[in-house]
Amino acid sequence: MSRPEPFGIGVIGCGNISNQYLKNLTGFPDVAVLICADVDAGRAKAQAAAYGVPEWGSPDDALAHPGVQLIVNLTVPAAHAEVSGAAIAAGKHVWSEKPLTLDVETGRALLAAADAAGVRIGCAPDTVLGAGLQSARRLIDSGGIGTPLTALTLLQGPGPQSWHPDPEFLFAPGAGPLFDLGPYYLSVLATLFGPVRQVAAIGRRPLESRVIGAGPRAGTAFTVAVPTYVAALAEYAAGQAASLLFSWDSPLSRSGFVEITGTEATLAVPDPNRFDGDLRVRRAGEDEWTIIPAEGAAAGRGSGVVDMVRAISDGRPHRATGEMALHVLEMMAAIERSAVSAAFEDVTTRFDMPEPLDAQWDPYVTAH
Ligand SMILES: NC(=O)c1ccc[n+]([C@@H]2O[C@H](COP(=O)([O-])OP(=O)(O)OC[C@H]3O[C@@H](n4cnc5c(N)ncnc54)[C@H](O)[C@@H]3O)[C@@H](O)[C@H]2O)c1
């Protein structure tokens, strides 16, 4: 049987994170990056040269490229809706970096447009497809912790102003610890528990301004527009409960903490911002953690694109869907609203639980 042609990819947005994507996507055999594009032509040209991509150009060049079947949208969050919308209008499938869009209504409209055009949307984070979280999913599905009941997540630290040279956007609407890092933690729980029914939260903004700590603008003060401490409760549609903390108001840094407690054991899941990491299980009646090595591929960013193109070829659902990303976005918006209303807020969007990946799944080994 002859091997099908690799799926044609156009990358729009050639900034920081494009390095990880281009390194991986140019090595995965089921896809071929055909063009790098950016509003800044110099960046597109440089990234095409650095990663051996045959063409570079403007976003319109990528959309008009006849071989491109899927656009990987790595632009800044404020441009996600426009770029993904243009790709859909051009009849291309879309993989978007997170967040899907800045607000829920725009995200809903984007999914509807994709549906109407008969193309698919996938969305980061694809860390949920890494060996660490997929091993956790398989362990839970096999009854390894009994019935899963609750989750506890923790992300705290002093905030990115200490090291980021231009941190203002991380303290503006659409960011803060909840919107910037929440997608990693909330997507893990979505993958393990399914959709959430309602949330409640307390938000605090103890510092109205902060000072840049690194780079050429070090010492410059800027305004903090969003809560930098968010403590939330979530009730899942299937009945599980979660306590979640997202804080940039702590001198003590602790992150990557996700614990799932079931009727028979507590499972410490690896850092949701990584693709690898072992599992730790503390069974009822035991005083020590049992280490369970993660099994599977930890190939990094772009894994979700490979799952998506294989799913399109096979005519089955992909895993990191736009529907799940929209749900996570709605959940974060509801948490933010609850911090103001001091009431529980409903979350109404739903998504189909993705199938777990086999331990043998590997984006470097062609599926055909
Ligand atoms: N940097 C990281 O470590 C990181 C990690 C995970 C996710 N992300 C996500 O990746 C995305 C990009 O982040 P980044 O750090 O690479 O940002 P960046 O600012 O380094 O790069 C963004 C690029 O998009 C281009 N761009 C902006 N608007 C555009 C438009 N309308 N059309 C075409 N190109 C446009 C810019 O010129 C720039 O080259 C964001 O959604 C971010 O949340 C970044």
Side-chain angles (χ1 to χ4, degrees):
M1 200 171 95
S2 68
R3 237 179 87 181
E5 286 290 303
F7 216 84
I9 306 284
V11 170
I12 302 185
C14 291
N16 193 312
I17 202 66
S18 71
N19 289 300
Q20 287 184 35
Y21 272 94
L22 287 166
K23 176 172 173 290
N24 291 340
L25 290 175
T26 54
F28 295 156
D30 290 349
V31 296
V33 184
L34 302 177
I35 182 167
C36 285
D38 199 294
V39 282
D40 180 336
R43 286 187 174 195
K45 185 178 181 186
Q47 289 301 69
Y51 294 95
V53 173
E55 293 184 44
W56 59 273
S58 68
D60 282 344
D61 293 332
L63 297 179
H65 193 299
V68 168
Q69 296 161 277
L70 183 148
I71 293 291
V72 172
N73 179 359
L74 307 180
T75 61
V76 291
H80 285 178
E82 180 199 330
V83 171
S84 296
I88 291 166
K92 316 286 187 189
H93 303 286
V94 174
W95 172 268
S96 173
E97 247 308 328
K98 52 89 187 157
L100 180 66
T101 52
L102 290 185
D103 66 84
V104 177
E105 281 323 305
T106 308
R108 247 188 248 279
L110 199 64
L111 295 196
D115 237 18
V119 296
R120 297 200 193 190
I121 300 188
C123 189
D126 51 3
T127 41
V128 294
L129 303 183
L133 184 69
Q134 287 296 318
S135 297
R137 170 72 191 269
R138 291 189 295 265
L139 180 76
I140 291 174
D141 285 1
S142 69
I145 63 167
T147 305
L149 300 174
T150 59
L152 181 63
T153 75
L154 174 61
L155 163 95
Q156 65 175 29
Q161 77 286 344
S162 54
W163 56 267
H164 199 296
D166 298 300
E168 286 94 332
F169 78 98
L170 290 166
F171 295 85
L178 173 64
F179 281 86
D180 187 48
L181 295 168
Y184 295 102
Y185 295 79
L186 302 180
S187 299
V188 163
L189 298 188
T191 302
L192 298 178
F193 288 172
V196 80
R197 181 172 23 224
Q198 60 172 354
V199 295
I202 291 176
R204 290 289 182 270
R205 187 171 56 104
L207 303 174
E208 293 192 351
S209 71
R210 296 196 179 211
V211 176
I212 300 174
R217 297 167 60 232
T220 309
F222 65 93
T223 302
V224 176
V226 291
T228 44
Y229 172 98
V230 178
L233 300 174
E235 183 187 41
Y236 285 78
Q240 306 94 335
S243 308
L244 316 151
L245 185 69
F246 304 99
S247 171
W248 283 343
D249 286 307
S250 168
L252 176 62
S253 289
R254 276 191 295 212
S255 64
F257 183 105
V258 178
E259 282 184 1
I260 311 293
T261 293
T263 48
E264 291 167 26
T266 289
L267 165 65
V269 176
D271 186 336
N273 205 351
R274 296 181 60 90
F275 286 79
D276 57 0
D278 293 338
L279 318 183
R280 291 178 304 127
V281 174
R282 180 73 75 93
R283 297 199 174 86
E286 291 182 358
D287 294 332
E288 302 290 336
W289 292 94
T290 301
I291 309 287
I292 302 180
E295 278 186 90
R301 290 192 159 89
S303 298
V305 177
V306 173
D307 175 58
M308 197 171 158
V309 305
R310 289 179 181 175
I312 292 168
S313 300
D314 297 347
R316 59 164 174 82
H318 57 288
R319 290 178 172 81
T321 57
E323 283 78 10
M324 191 198 282
L326 179 65
H327 181 78
V328 166
L329 182 64
E330 189 196 6
M331 187 178 172
M332 295 189 294
I335 287 173
E336 194 174 60
R337 266 200 325 278
S338 172
V340 177
S341 69
F344 273 90
E345 297 282 343
D346 291 339
V347 179
T348 59
T349 53
R350 293 289 178 265
F351 60 90
D352 293 330
M353 284 284 278
E355 289 293 315
L357 284 170
D358 289 340
Q360 290 71 35
W361 189 87
D362 188 344
Y364 282 107
V365 178
T366 185
H368 298 285

